[in-house]
Amino acid sequence: MTDNNTELPQYPEPFWRSTLSFPSFPKVESDIQTDVLVVGGGITGITSAYLLAKQGVQVTLIEASEILNGTTGHTTAKITAQHGLIYDKLITEHGEEKAKLYYEANKEGMNIIKGLIDEHSIECNLSTQDAYVYANTDEYVNKIRKELRAYHKLEIPGDYTDNIPFSIPCKAAIIMKDQAQFHPLKYLMALTSPILESGGKIYEHTTAMKIEDGAKPTILTEDGHKITCNHVIVASHFPFNDEMGLYFARVHVKRSYVLGVKTKEEYPGGMFYSADTPSRSLRYTENDDGEKLILVGGEGHKTGQGISTIKHYEALQDFSSHYFDVEDIPYRWSAQDIMTPDDLPFVGPSTPNHPRVLIATGYAKWGMTNGTIAAKILTDRILQKDNQFTDLYDPARLDGIKNMVKDNTDVAKHMIQGKLSILHKKPEDIGIDEGAIVKVNGDKAGCYRDKEGQLFIVDSTCTHMGCEVAWNSGDRTWDCPCHGSRFSITGDVIEGPAVEPLKKIR
Ligand code: FES
């Protein structure tokens, strides 16, 4: 531990949401017919709804909670085609042509964002920044060199340096110039007005539970309403209709952490990502008074499988205090990312048998550009326009069998471990602001006692496929180690694939 004397905020809250007020949208209260239904109010959902509404398509967007409150509201919002050390890997896994196409896709995602900001004069703190990926260990210095060779092969502009403008140790780095950063929620909030002005509809607090795919897809909501459409875009981060493509067995979910840090020294500019482990990410943002805040990110791990999660925030706090003169840490938050087995997102029909049910997921940590290009690919498909990136991102490229075996082994391990672990704790043993799995009437239950002493007890069996959830002390949530579902202390779903809440226990 370092000698830092700054406290972490007691509760997680992303900087992006704290600085804006949001309009609220109604719930779906009756059956609806629409041309396209978009499920999910993050960057993919809102961009898709915008692109369709502008083309005169009747579009309806529904969100289970409030728009921009999921992964998009918890991002670090780097708009870049530099995604860590990816291009050498993509050449090995997919060949040069596809690796180059991935770069082009993300560059186009960036250009779409910049174009829309320009077209609508959106004030969202857009600024051009150079992106750096850097390393300090010999192993990763070699990887940086290989990555630079990949840039040269693919004709991606990149400069080599052995210096970054911090005291953070660095032996090698690649700079991708003229990338960008912004305030993602100011940008996306501004896109909701043109959606509504073009006749689109937005609903909140409307959870999609199931898709019945016949002549037309029909989406059933939690309240029993039916939404019938010609196409549905599932932009719910983890596809809520995962049974259609067995996505629960084809992807895995990672959690990472961010601190918003005020420092005495000036931030030199630039967006940084360390290739070594544990990874670290840096960029700055500013509040409405022009005060700068450094966003320090990293500490990724599989959801529900980390050490006590508050330790991840503490590791970032130590890092910040070690390399910066920290004045205050006003924000902390965490984000969930979905990883595919071959490092390319899944964007396209859920399965070839369901061509009208379109999904977009698996952006790893790079959702700003990937989420935007995903919206373009899906809306071009609906508008029957060609898109050069369709095949690259098509979920049908993988049959999932290889990954399914690996992932199911992991899932089976957690299912068995969770069910067999012996418990000694009872609800009365749980202290203030503590959460743990306890024994209630002979069964396992998740128990949390809040600051006022009130107990919240839920069935600890995940409603997705039955794994045991684990307590996340950093965010005060119940997280599932199998496919990453997350639940509040009262059992409500925060993130899928689960759609049903954990049962409350009296
Ligand atoms: Fe699949 Fe919990 S998320 S079992």
Side-chain angles (χ1 to χ4, degrees):
M1 298 284 281
T2 60
D3 56 347
N4 74 70
N5 53 10
T6 48
E7 296 282 325
L8 286 171
Q10 210 176 3
Y11 290 96
E13 184 191 20
F15 166 77
W16 314 121
R17 285 193 71 81
S18 72
T19 49
L20 279 185
S21 56
F22 295 85
S24 53
F25 297 95
K27 252 177 120 153
V28 167
E29 302 275 14
S30 60
D31 291 355
I32 287 178
Q33 303 234 359
T34 185
D35 191 358
V36 178
L37 176 70
V38 177
V39 180
I43 191 163
T44 307
I46 290 180
T47 311
S48 299
Y50 169 88
L51 293 172
L52 291 167
K54 291 297 274 183
Q55 292 297 314
V57 176
Q58 186 193 26
V59 64
T60 301
L61 184 149
I62 62 171
E63 163 58 50
S65 64
E66 290 152 8
I67 63 164
L68 301 172
N69 200 16
T71 300
T72 300
H74 293 74
T75 172
T76 52
K78 294 175 177 173
I79 311 171
T80 178
Q82 187 187 67
H83 297 175
L85 300 178
I86 191 159
Y87 291 105
D88 181 55
K89 213 167 165 199
L90 289 181
I91 290 175
T92 309
E93 286 174 14
H94 299 279
E96 282 182 29
E97 198 183 323
K98 287 185 178 168
K100 173 83 180 191
L101 212 49
Y102 181 82
Y103 170 72
E104 297 293 345
N106 283 280
K107 214 169 71 168
E108 186 166 328
M110 178 159 70
N111 289 339
I112 292 170
I113 294 171
K114 285 183 176 174
L116 291 178
I117 291 171
D118 199 33
E119 184 182 336
H120 295 283
S121 307
I122 302 172
E123 306 249 328
C124 58
N125 310 91
L126 177 72
S127 83
T128 300
Q129 298 285 324
D130 293 341
Y132 292 68
V133 55
Y134 67 93
N136 192 45
T137 57
D138 290 345
E139 181 190 352
Y140 279 89
V141 167
N142 278 336
K143 289 187 181 185
I144 290 268
R145 293 204 177 109
K146 277 174 92 178
E147 183 74 356
L148 192 65
R149 285 199 287 278
Y151 276 43
H152 292 154
K153 270 188 207 158
L154 303 176
E155 296 174 356
I156 296 173
D159 294 337
Y160 181 85
T161 178
D162 55 8
N163 192 18
I164 57 172
F166 302 101
S167 58
I168 299 167
C170 164
K171 285 187 187 158
I174 302 173
I175 311 170
M176 191 181 276
K177 287 197 180 291
D178 298 331
Q179 308 298 292
Q181 63 184 26
F182 68 161
H183 189 309
L185 304 199
K186 285 185 183 172
Y187 162 70
L188 289 163
M189 280 295 301
L191 294 187
T192 59
S193 303
I195 295 172
L196 300 172
E197 283 156 16
S198 305
K201 301 267 189 273
I202 299 176
Y203 296 95
E204 293 181 325
H205 304 291
T206 301
T207 306
M209 302 292 283
K210 195 170 186 264
I211 301 178
E212 287 174 352
D213 193 19
K216 288 183 166 208
T218 300
I219 289 76
L220 308 179
T221 72
E222 191 181 19
D223 292 345
H225 300 301
K226 288 183 177 179
I227 306 176
T228 311
C229 56
N230 290 318
H231 289 93
V232 52
I233 292 179
V234 178
S236 55
H237 195 46
F238 202 118
F240 76 93
N241 60 323
D242 66 350
E243 74 287 354
M244 274 185 177
L246 301 182
Y247 287 96
F248 62 84
R250 299 174 67 181
V251 299
H252 69 270
V253 182
K254 273 192 157 179
R255 209 147 188 85
S256 56
Y257 301 81
V258 185
L259 300 183
V261 181
K262 264 191 207 166
T263 61
K264 292 197 181 119
E265 64 266 61
E266 258 305 289
Y267 185 83
M271 306 185 298
F272 298 83
Y273 186 83
S274 72
D276 305 291
T277 47
S279 67
R280 294 288 179 256
S281 156
L282 295 167
R283 64 158 281 193
Y284 77 91
T285 186
E286 50 197 353
N287 63 21
D288 291 340
D289 299 327
E291 240 181 356
K292 280 189 183 157
L293 200 62
I294 305 179
L295 305 187
V296 181
E299 290 287 306
H301 65 86
K302 267 188 155 185
T303 297
Q305 299 180 22
I307 51 174
S308 166
T309 54
I310 200 72
K311 300 268 182 239
H312 296 291
Y313 289 109
E314 287 171 356
L316 293 181
Q317 182 186 22
D318 285 350
F319 174 85
S320 306
S321 302
H322 198 86
Y323 294 111
F324 300 101
D325 201 350
V326 175
E327 256 182 5
D328 189 16
I329 303 180
Y331 300 97
R332 70 173 171 95
W333 68 91
S334 66
Q336 191 134 299
D337 292 296
I338 296 180
M339 330 299 278
T340 63
D342 68 348
D343 300 302
L344 292 173
F346 288 141
V347 178
S350 202
T351 73
N353 300 338
H354 298 287
R356 290 166 180 270
V357 179
L358 306 173
I359 61 126
T361 191
Y363 307 148
K365 295 168 195 303
W366 307 102
M368 297 297 101
T369 51
N370 268 322
T372 302
I373 199 63
K376 184 78 171 86
I377 291 169
L378 296 182
T379 54
D380 278 351
R381 176 180 280 272
I382 291 169
L383 297 166
Q384 299 184 331
K385 290 186 191 166
D386 287 338
N387 185 304
Q388 60 168 324
F389 308 117
T390 299
D391 291 346
L392 182 74
Y393 284 37
D394 190 346
R397 70 180 182 272
L398 289 180
D399 61 11
I401 299 295
K402 209 169 93 204
N403 190 58
M404 232 180 256
V405 173
K406 176 172 143 282
D407 228 40
N408 279 351
T409 310
D410 201 29
V411 167
K413 187 182 95 192
H414 285 285
M415 270 184 175
I416 292 163
Q417 269 178 357
K419 300 294 173 202
L420 294 186
S421 60
I422 296 167
L423 292 175
H424 303 291
K425 277 198 171 180
K426 299 195 228 47
E428 50 269 38
D429 301 327
I430 301 296
I432 292 290
D433 200 22
E434 190 190 338
I437 301 293
V438 297
K439 219 171 197 179
V440 177
N441 304 329
D443 289 329
K444 288 188 171 169
C447 181
Y448 169 71
R449 189 187 297 276
D450 72 7
K451 297 246 160 66
E452 283 71 47
Q454 191 183 343
L455 275 178
F456 297 85
I457 308 181
V458 291
D459 187 333
S460 56
T461 305
C462 177
T463 55
H464 177 231
M465 289 178 69
C467 291
E468 286 289 309
V469 295
W471 178 241
N472 172 345
S473 57
D475 295 345
R476 297 179 179 84
T477 55
W478 295 105
D479 296 354
C480 181
C482 289
H483 313 107
S485 290
R486 299 178 64 232
F487 304 87
S488 72
I489 54 170
T490 52
D492 295 326
V493 176
I494 299 172
E495 290 195 52
V499 287
E500 305 271 0
L502 297 177
K503 269 189 239 137
K504 289 187 179 63
I505 293 177
R506 281 179 186 276

